[in-house]
Amino acid sequence: MTLSLARLGLMGGSGASGSLEFISELTMDGSSSSYSITSIQESEYEVHFLQANDVRIPSVNGDRMKFRVITSGGVVSSNSYSYMSQQNSPAGHSESKADGTNNLPFIKNTGTVANSTANGTMYVYQAGNSSLRCTVNYMSTAVEQNSRYNSWFGGGVYNAESVVTGFNFFSSGNISGRIRLYGVASWV
């Protein structure tokens, strides 16, 4: 027996607790190194789900697509991220931790070879709550500059109690790909 997309909560709009409800799609056309989603419906959802597909940063070997929050007034916050921890592969890579960074990672190394592409997912918690800190967990996979497969997963926190009204994705090189944003229907 197979599960339908509606039963998995992937069609959106069903209103069932825990189902994904589509909010928006961001197309990164490769003309910029920074893109933002500025309408996340933070007052409606306690949990957001981001799905990144076919992310490429073709001009910079080994670059990463990083994540920052946008706070009230449209300010992209470039500080106050901490407690980031991640686990990396391929074999030989290990756990890493950082405290006091200016962003959180999202997509692992991409590269300039033709098949360098990455995909990933991220959950964002409590974006609309000014009395709690916004936390994330993420997972991504990539074919990197040496045509090797990499994956990583981890989590982090925006270390300020502030309403988050949007998400910013950036890199040192121009980015192409798509990001879909979903709200997770409340469990209450």
Side-chain angles (χ1 to χ4, degrees), residues 3 9-10 13 20 24 48 51 59 64 71 96 114 138 153 180:
L3 294 174
L10 298 176
L20 297 179
S24 67
H48 291 81
Q51 178 185 40
S59 64
R64 299 172 178 166
T71 58
S96 62
Y138 57 90
F153 61 91
R180 288 188 171 182

Side-chain angles (χ1 to χ4, degrees), residues 54-71:
D54 196 24
V55 174
R56 298 170 189 260
I57 307 167
S59 64
V60 183
N61 261 334
D63 205 358
R64 299 172 178 166
M65 185 176 76
K66 298 166 275 280
F67 172 86
R68 297 181 290 207
V69 299
I70 300 171
T71 58

Side-chain angles (χ1 to χ4, degrees), residues 15-32:
S17 293
S19 65
L20 297 179
E21 299 176 352
F22 180 78
I23 297 173
S24 67
E25 179 170 305
L26 171 66
T27 299
M28 300 176 291
D29 63 6
S31 65
S32 178

Side-chain angles (χ1 to χ4, degrees), residues 49-52 106-107 119-123 137-140:
F49 177 75
L50 295 159
Q51 178 185 40
F106 184 9
I107 296 294
N119 300 287
T121 59
M122 177 183 280
Y123 280 96
N137 61 42
Y138 57 90
M139 179 187 78
S140 70

